[in-house]
C-alpha cells in the first residue's frame, strides 16, 4: 500500500500512530455519547438527523447509504424521529412509492442547536493551540485525511 516502497517506517512509529488514532477515536466516541445524552437522542438517531444538514429532502435509501446501515434500520430510525416530531415523511410527487423525508421546524431548531454545540466543542479544542500550532495542526489533519482516504480507496 505504500507508494514509496523504499521508505522504512519504524515499528514504534506505526504503534504510536495506531495508539494516537485510537485515543482520538475514543475521545470522539465519548463526545458523541455526551452529545446524545445532552440532546436526548440515541446516537444513531442523532447521526440520522445530522444527515439533513443543508438538505431539503432525503430518502431512506440515501440515508441508508450515508449511514452505512440497512434500509430496515433506517426505517426504524426515521419512525422514531417522526414520532418525536423531528422529521416529516411525505410521498414523492414524481413517484408515490418513494417517501421524501424532511426536517420539521422542531427538527431544524434541534439540528441548529446541535450544530452550535459541535462548533463550540471544536472551537474550544482549537483555543488550546497558538496561531502557529493551529495552522500546523490543520495542515497535518488535512494531509492525514487525504492519505487515509487514498488508502481506503486502494482497499476498495
Amino acid at each position: 500500500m505504500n507508494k514509496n516502497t523504499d521508505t522504512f517506517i519504524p515499528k514504534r512509529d506505526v504503534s504510536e500512530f495506531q495508539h494516537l488514532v485510537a485515543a482520538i477515536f475514543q475521545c470522539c466516541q465519548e463526545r458523541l455519547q455526551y452529545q446524545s445524552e445532552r440532546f436526548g437522542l440515541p446516537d444513531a438517531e442523532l447521526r440520522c438527523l445530522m444527515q439533513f444538514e443543508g438538505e431539503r429532502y432525503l430518502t431512506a435509501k440515501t440515508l441508508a447509504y450515508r449511514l452505512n446501515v440497512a434500509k430496515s434500520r433506517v426505517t426504524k430510525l426515521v419512525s422514531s424521529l417522526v414520532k418525536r416530531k423531528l422529521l416529516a415523511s411525505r410521498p414523492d410527487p414524481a413517484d408515490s412509492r418513494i417517501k421524501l423525508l424532511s426536517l420539521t421546524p422542531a427538527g431544524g431548531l434541534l439540528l441548529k442547536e446541535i450544530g452550535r454545540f459541535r462548533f463550540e466543542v471544536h472551537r474550544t479544542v482549537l483555543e488550546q493551540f497558538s496561531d502557529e500550532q493551529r495552522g500546523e495542526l490543520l495542515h497535518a489533519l488535512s494531509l492525514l485525511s487525504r492519505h487515509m482516504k487514498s488508502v481506503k480507496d486502494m482497499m476498495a
Side-chain angles (χ1 to χ4, degrees):
M1 282 187 206
N2 191 354
K3 288 180 182 177
N4 183 356
T5 56
D6 297 334
T7 302
F8 171 75
I9 300 175
K11 187 176 180 178
R12 72 178 181 281
D13 288 356
V14 175
S15 294
E16 182 178 2
F17 179 67
Q18 283 179 305
H19 174 75
L20 290 170
V21 168
I24 291 168
F25 182 76
Q26 180 63 36
C27 185
C28 291
Q29 290 295 102
E30 290 169 6
R31 192 230 348 128
L32 290 172
Q33 180 62 37
Y34 173 80
Q35 184 175 279
S36 289
E37 292 168 5
R38 178 183 175 123
F39 294 105
L41 288 174
D43 180 60
E45 289 181 26
L46 201 139
R47 286 185 297 115
C48 183
L49 190 67
M50 288 172 35
Q51 297 305 307
F52 287 86
E53 188 169 5
E55 301 285 355
R56 186 171 176 177
Y57 299 104
L58 291 173
T59 64
K61 183 177 179 180
T62 301
L63 284 170
Y65 176 78
R66 287 185 180 181
L67 296 170
N68 194 29
V69 297
K71 194 171 173 220
S72 60
R73 179 69 180 125
V74 167
T75 300
K76 288 182 180 184
L77 293 171
V78 167
S79 293
S80 180
L81 291 168
V82 167
K83 283 181 189 173
R84 294 175 188 264
K85 299 187 184 327
L86 299 174
L87 288 184
S89 174
R90 66 182 188 144
D92 184 339
D95 185 346
S96 61
R97 297 172 296 170
I98 298 173
K99 299 290 184 193
L100 296 178
L101 306 166
S102 61
L103 290 170
T104 63
L109 288 174
L110 181 59
L111 190 58
K112 285 181 183 177
E113 190 178 339
I114 293 166
R116 284 191 297 270
F117 168 77
R118 291 168 48 96
F119 180 87
E120 283 304 312
V121 167
H122 291 95
R123 186 187 61 74
T124 302
V125 170
L126 288 176
E127 279 180 343
Q128 309 302 308
F129 297 90
S130 69
D131 289 345
E132 183 180 337
Q133 289 172 327
R134 192 168 46 252
E136 291 171 4
L137 173 69
L138 294 174
H139 176 71
L141 287 173
S142 176
L143 285 173
L144 177 62
S145 176
R146 187 173 28 178
H147 291 308
M148 288 178 79
K149 286 177 186 170
S150 70
V151 169
K152 179 188 76 164
D153 291 345
M154 284 190 297
M155 292 167 55

